[in-house]
């Protein structure tokens, strides 16, 4: 089979892309998660917490809800329809950390939960740490030459 024939077979048998529908679902569901987070922030602020404490408690609440919904099997169903809309908010990171831990809990605390919890999130943490260090180094070098960006 030639590459052109193979390409024609793949194109004929591939499902049609629903890019616009997928983007709209990701935007709406991801935005909905952010609206819920904003609601928590406003509620905590109304209770008299200062801005820093309200933001911290909002993050903790969203992480807890992400883990709870993952445990109940709801988050994966939501992610099936929302795609990247559930990956971007902090709840997506909570899902990425807790999902392998919940799945491998039968293997024990160390080899199951402890080892598998960082299977997906580990590279994200490493990249985030490396990127933050690199960006900080660049800003420091620029600052040495009198260039201030922030």
């Amino acid at each position: 089979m030639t590459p052109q024939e193979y390409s024609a077979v793949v194109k004929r048998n591939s499902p049609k892309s629903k890019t616009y529908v997928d983007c709209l679902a990701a935007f709406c569901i991801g935005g909905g998660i952010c609206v819920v987070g904003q609601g928590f922030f406003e509620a905590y602020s109304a209770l008299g917490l200062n801005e820093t404490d309200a933001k911290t408690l909002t993050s903790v609440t969203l992480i807890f809800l992400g883990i709870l919904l993952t445990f109940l099997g709801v988050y994966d169903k939501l992610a099936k329809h929302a795609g990247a809309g559930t990956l971007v908010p902090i709840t997506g990171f909570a899902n990425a950390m807790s999902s392998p831990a919940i799945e491998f809990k039968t293997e024990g605390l160390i080899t199951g939960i402890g080892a598998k919890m960082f299977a997906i999130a580990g590279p994200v943490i490493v990249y985030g740490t490396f990127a933050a260090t690199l960006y900080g180094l660049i800003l420091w070098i620029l600052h040495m030459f009198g260039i201030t960006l922030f």
Side-chain angles (χ1 to χ4, degrees), residues 28 58 80 96 112 129:
C28 290
T58 299
K80 184 187 285 186
T129 303

Side-chain angles (χ1 to χ4, degrees), residues 34-116:
C34 294
V35 167
V36 168
Q38 185 66 35
F40 279 116
F41 173 75
E42 296 298 333
Y44 293 141
S45 295
L47 291 174
L49 293 173
N50 65 36
E51 185 177 348
T52 302
D53 290 342
K55 286 179 180 179
T56 302
L57 198 51
T58 299
S59 295
V60 170
T61 303
L62 289 174
I63 290 168
F64 172 76
L65 289 175
I67 293 170
L68 179 66
L69 292 176
T70 298
F71 178 74
L72 297 174
V74 174
Y75 204 87
D76 292 334
K77 292 176 185 174
L78 184 66
K80 184 187 285 186
H81 300 292
T86 56
L87 295 176
V88 176
I90 195 167
T91 54
F93 189 70
N95 172 262
M97 290 289 288
S98 62
S99 186
I102 292 168
E103 183 178 344
F104 292 99
K105 68 182 176 188
T106 58
E107 293 183 21
L109 287 175
I110 304 299
T111 58
I113 294 173
K116 301 298 182 181

Side-chain angles (χ1 to χ4, degrees), residues 128-150:
T129 303
F130 176 75
T133 303
L134 180 64
Y135 300 151
L137 182 62
I138 291 169
L139 287 174
W140 178 68
I141 291 170
L142 290 174
H143 185 70
M144 285 178 44
F145 290 104
I147 301 170
T148 304
L149 299 177
F150 301 103

